[in-house]
């Protein structure tokens, strides 16, 4: 429980009010945070340095494992490999799949929450679909949606949608029953229950499933690009592998890592903004 | 005038492994301004009785009269308080207090003024823009009560409303709530398993028997000679122990 008195005492604006012990504590906390960041960056640098050095020393076969300097050169000559175009294609497919997956997932889970009967009927299908490797549907998807962007987005959607639905529905169902009863005692309709209690109470669930969806959408897009093999980072990876241009493969993987990190960061920022707006946790 | 009446009320519900008779044939009436405590052995259907009175649950037999009229569903005359404060963490205290009015589409200048007055008079005026997690347990419970009162109910149902609080907070909140209810002239029914709490607040204690619960006794509570009665002051009155022993003996008969 938060003590309002205590928060008043430590409110900023009065630096003189901070006791030496408090100042020391805050300093120690800042130092620890900096240390963690340094170690994280240090590890990354050490990893790349070790990779580069062992490749130069001949310990690693740079033909198979590539090496940072060759990856950098590949990235430097982006235009040559039409990397920006491939990156743009993958980004477009991933974002579309991600937004569609989140939107449709939310819609379907709301519908299932609304009608427990439909939810009961749908349950075994959802469970089986969830465990089914959606990539197995790849050939079918390509035939239905055509061998192009459509099929790839479809794949990303297929992989992220069911998980979103199951996750959100579980969240809705676990909404604190006391809150539901409280709203019902005021005569709340089902719609009011949804908008005023269930949805806001599940902001955390929503953002967690968005974070999971980033990874899933990327999996779907890359798998789709492997199959369709026309454009995108997934295509570059397959192509690079086939022509033994591992620099290209590694460069693509590196870009994917950056894309995933940036998207995760974007969702985190959104979550923080929503928390400020709604005062939630 | 009887603001709330139960007539031959009974609830039987269907569970997976058979029928459960929560309580049967319960009749009583509550006069305006009275405070009624309901006690009974655990599992005697006390909370179910309250749900039936609130209209959250349709009774199997009998009926509930609210302000003299048969009630169907949730009545706007009734306010309900739950075990925990059930404040919405993402709303400020002010927004929480307005929740009931908002759900009923009754937010206007008049109701807003009433809500503001309630917050101010019960020491939460300065906390309107705070979030629930910034308040202490006792303050949260008070905010929850104000939310219920802001909707303007004639009858208040309290379902073990203080059982989630620690003992000291609980005594203080009981004092606060009692004072608020008396000042607002509210009629209240409280379900509790805490016998002293039941006696300390009530004008009448309804004692239920074990499941299926029946009304065993309707015990009037009075503390003659006590100046200003509060839940704490009556605990030291000699009659308090007598009531306690009597209720304890009644409840033990079922055990």
């Amino acid at each position: 429980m938060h003590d309002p008195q205590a928060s008043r005492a430590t409110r900023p604006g009065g630096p003189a009010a901070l006791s030496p012990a408090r100042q020391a504590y805050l300093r120690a906390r800042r130092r620890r945070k900096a240390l963690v960041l340094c170690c994280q960056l240090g590890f990354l640098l050490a990893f790349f340095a070790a990779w580069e050095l062992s490749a130069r020393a001949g310990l690693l076969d740079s033909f198979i494992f590539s090496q940072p300097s060759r990856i950098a050169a590949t990235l430097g000559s982006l235009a040559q490999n039409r990397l920006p175009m491939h990156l743009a294609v993958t980004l477009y497919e991933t974002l579309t799949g991600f937004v569609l997956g989140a939107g449709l997932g939310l819609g379907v889970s709301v519908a299932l929450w609304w009608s427990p009967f439909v939810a009961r009927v749908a349950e075994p299908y959802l469970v089986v679909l969830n465990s089914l490797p959606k990539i197995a549907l790849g050939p079918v998807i390509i035939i239905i949606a055509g061998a192009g962007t459509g099929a790839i987005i479809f794949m990303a959607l297929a992989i992220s949608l069911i998980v979103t639905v199951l996750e959100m529905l579980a969240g809705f169902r676990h909404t604190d029953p006391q809150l539901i009863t409280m709203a019902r005692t005021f005569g709340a309709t089902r719609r009011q229950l949804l908008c005023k209690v269930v949805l806001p109470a599940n902001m955390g669930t929503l953002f967690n499933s968005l974070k999971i969806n980033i990874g899933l959408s990327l999996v779907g897009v890359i798998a789709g690009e492997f199959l369709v093999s026309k454009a995108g980072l997934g295509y570059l990876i397959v192509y690079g592998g086939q022509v033994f241009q591992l620099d290209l493969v590694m460069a693509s993987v590196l870009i994917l890592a950056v894309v995933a990190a940036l998207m995760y960061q974007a969702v985190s920022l959104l979550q923080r903004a929503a928390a400020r707006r709604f005062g939630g946790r | 005038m009887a603001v709330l009446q139960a007539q031959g009320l009974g609830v039987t519900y269907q569970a997976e492994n058979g029928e459960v008779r929560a309580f049967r044939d319960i009749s009583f009436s509550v006069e305006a301004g009275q405070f009624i405590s309901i006690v009974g052995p655990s599992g005697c259907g006390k909370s179910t009785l309250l749900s039936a009175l609130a209209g959250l649950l349709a009774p199997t037999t009998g009926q509930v009269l609210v302000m003299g009229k048969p009630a169907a569903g949730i009545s706007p005359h009734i306010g309900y308080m739950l075990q925990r404060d059930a404040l919405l963490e993402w709303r400020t205290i002010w927004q929480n207090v307005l929740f009931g009015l908002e759900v009923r589409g009754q937010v206007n200048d008049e109701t807003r003024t009433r809500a503001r007055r309630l917050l101010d008079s019960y020491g939460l005026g300065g906390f309107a823009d705070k979030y629930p997690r910034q308040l202490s347990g006792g303050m949260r419970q008070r905010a929850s009560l104000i939310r219920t009162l802001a909707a303007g109910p004639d009858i208040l149902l309290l379902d073990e409303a203080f059982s989630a609080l620690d003992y000291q907070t609980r005594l203080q909140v009981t004092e606060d709530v009692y004072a608020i209810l008396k000042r607002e002239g509210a009629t209240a029914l409280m379900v509790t398993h805490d016998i002293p709490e039941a006696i300390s607040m009530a004008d009448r204690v309804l004692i239920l028997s074990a499941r299926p619960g029946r009304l065993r006794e309707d015990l009037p509570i009075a503390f003659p000679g006590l100046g200003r009665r509060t839940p704490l002051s009556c605990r030291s009155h000699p009659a308090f122990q007598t009531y306690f022993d009597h209720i304890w003996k009644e409840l033990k008969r079922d055990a």
Side-chain angles (χ1 to χ4, degrees), chain A residues 33 92 153 160-161:
Chain A
K33 227 173 134 180
Y92 165 72
I153 292 173
S160 64
L161 180 65

Side-chain angles (χ1 to χ4, degrees), chain A residues 1 176 192 196 278-279, chain B residues 74 84 90 102-103 133 135:
Chain A
M1 193 57 49
D176 186 347
Q192 284 175 323
K196 291 185 193 290
F278 296 107
Chain B
I74 290 147
R84 288 191 290 111
W90 56 90
E102 198 181 301
V103 162
R133 72 192 121 84
L135 267 61

Side-chain angles (χ1 to χ4, degrees), chain A residues 141-160:
Chain A
I141 293 176
I142 288 178
I143 292 168
I144 296 172
T149 312
I152 293 167
I153 292 173
F154 200 120
M155 183 75 96
L157 188 60
I159 288 184
S160 64

Side-chain angles (χ1 to χ4, degrees), chain A:
Chain A
M1 193 57 49
H2 194 87
D3 181 7
Q5 238 62 45
S7 78
R8 203 165 297 144
T10 56
R11 193 171 287 169
L18 291 181
S19 71
R22 178 83 193 156
Q23 282 175 15
Y25 166 78
L26 289 176
R27 234 187 350 260
R29 233 179 60 163
R30 264 200 305 276
R31 208 175 302 137
R32 191 164 183 82
K33 227 173 134 180
L35 189 64
V36 167
L37 191 66
C38 279
C39 287
Q40 286 170 335
L41 285 175
F43 177 79
L44 193 69
L45 280 177
F47 175 76
F48 279 110
W51 188 1
E52 179 71 30
L53 288 176
S54 43
R56 291 204 176 172
L59 292 171
L60 273 179
D61 187 347
S62 63
F63 179 69
I64 295 172
F65 292 105
S66 187
Q67 73 191 75
S69 57
R70 288 170 62 166
I71 296 172
T74 312
L75 288 174
S77 56
L78 289 176
Q80 214 181 315
N81 300 306
R82 304 188 57 213
L83 244 169
M85 185 276 285
H86 290 295
L87 176 59
V89 167
T90 297
L91 269 184
Y92 165 72
E93 290 161 349
T94 308
L95 286 177
T96 314
F98 175 75
V99 171
L100 278 179
L104 278 176
L106 190 59
V108 172
S109 52
V110 164
L112 293 179
W113 174 83
W114 197 280
S115 165
F117 179 77
V118 175
R120 281 289 287 278
V121 172
E123 203 178 293
Y125 297 101
L126 285 175
V127 169
V128 171
L129 278 176
N130 186 40
S131 321
L132 182 81
K134 264 68 70 175
I135 298 177
L137 295 173
V140 184
I141 293 176
I142 288 178
I143 292 168
I144 296 172
T149 312
I152 293 167
I153 292 173
F154 200 120
M155 183 75 96
L157 188 60
I159 288 184
S160 64
L161 180 65
I162 308 294
V163 180
T164 312
V165 170
L166 288 175
E167 181 111 344
M168 292 303 299
L169 188 60
F172 290 169
R173 283 180 178 162
H174 283 106
T175 307
D176 186 347
Q178 291 248 329
L179 299 185
I180 306 268
T181 312
M182 182 276 293
R184 277 189 61 213
T185 61
F186 288 114
T189 61
R190 203 150 174 82
R191 191 197 171 86
Q192 284 175 323
L193 273 185
L194 179 73
C195 298
K196 291 185 193 290
V197 180
V198 173
L199 280 181
N202 280 285
M203 282 301 248
T205 320
L206 177 66
F207 280 104
N208 280 340
S209 78
L210 284 186
K211 283 176 179 169
I212 295 169
N213 264 359
I214 297 168
L216 292 179
S217 304
L218 278 169
V219 169
V221 165
I222 298 302
E225 286 174 351
F226 279 4
L227 287 171
V228 172
S229 271
K230 274 194 176 148
L233 294 174
Y235 160 76
L236 272 191
I237 290 171
V238 169
Y239 171 79
Q242 281 167 351
V243 300
F244 275 93
Q245 224 185 307
L246 275 304
D247 300 339
L248 191 57
V249 175
M250 290 300 183
S252 305
V253 171
L254 216 60
I255 295 175
L256 275 177
V258 172
V259 167
L262 286 179
M263 283 180 71
Y264 189 89
Q265 206 55 40
V267 171
S268 292
L269 283 177
L270 202 65
Q271 181 168 24
R272 237 171 286 160
R276 260 200 306 280
R277 167 75 183 72
F278 296 107
R281 288 131 288 186

Side-chain angles (χ1 to χ4, degrees), chain B residues 30-171:
Chain B
V30 183
E31 302 296 317
Q34 273 189 331
F35 194 110
I36 314 278
S37 293
I38 302 173
V39 296
S42 43
C44 72
K46 298 179 295 246
S47 289
T48 315
L49 173 61
L50 219 55
S51 298
L53 293 172
L56 287 169
L57 184 80
T60 319
T61 60
Q63 63 173 351
V64 178
L65 302 185
V66 179
M67 314 300 281
K69 291 194 203 82
I74 290 147
S75 162
H77 293 291
I78 288 183
Y80 196 97
M81 263 185 85
L82 300 118
Q83 230 172 67
R84 288 191 290 111
D85 50 59
L87 292 174
L88 304 174
E89 295 291 338
W90 56 90
R91 284 170 167 246
T92 61
I93 294 304
W94 176 241
Q95 291 166 334
N96 263 296
V97 163
L98 289 184
F99 182 82
L101 293 164
E102 198 181 301
V103 162
R104 290 190 190 155
Q106 291 173 341
V107 181
N108 54 42
D109 285 345
E110 191 199 323
T111 55
R112 239 186 251 122
T113 313
R114 183 172 64 207
R116 175 53 73 179
R117 179 186 64 79
L118 285 165
L119 272 181
D120 287 341
S121 30
Y122 302 119
L124 288 176
F127 293 88
D129 295 324
K130 295 265 186 279
Y131 285 96
R133 72 192 121 84
Q134 296 171 289
L135 267 61
S136 68
M139 287 161 91
R140 290 175 64 114
Q141 200 67 16
R142 243 183 294 153
S144 169
L145 175 63
I146 292 171
R147 170 178 61 194
T148 310
L149 292 176
D154 299 294
I155 306 148
L156 216 66
L157 305 178
L158 302 110
D159 187 2
E160 309 217 3
F162 315 117
S163 62
L165 301 169
D166 62 79
Y167 191 67
Q168 275 186 34
T169 313
R170 189 170 174 159
L171 285 183

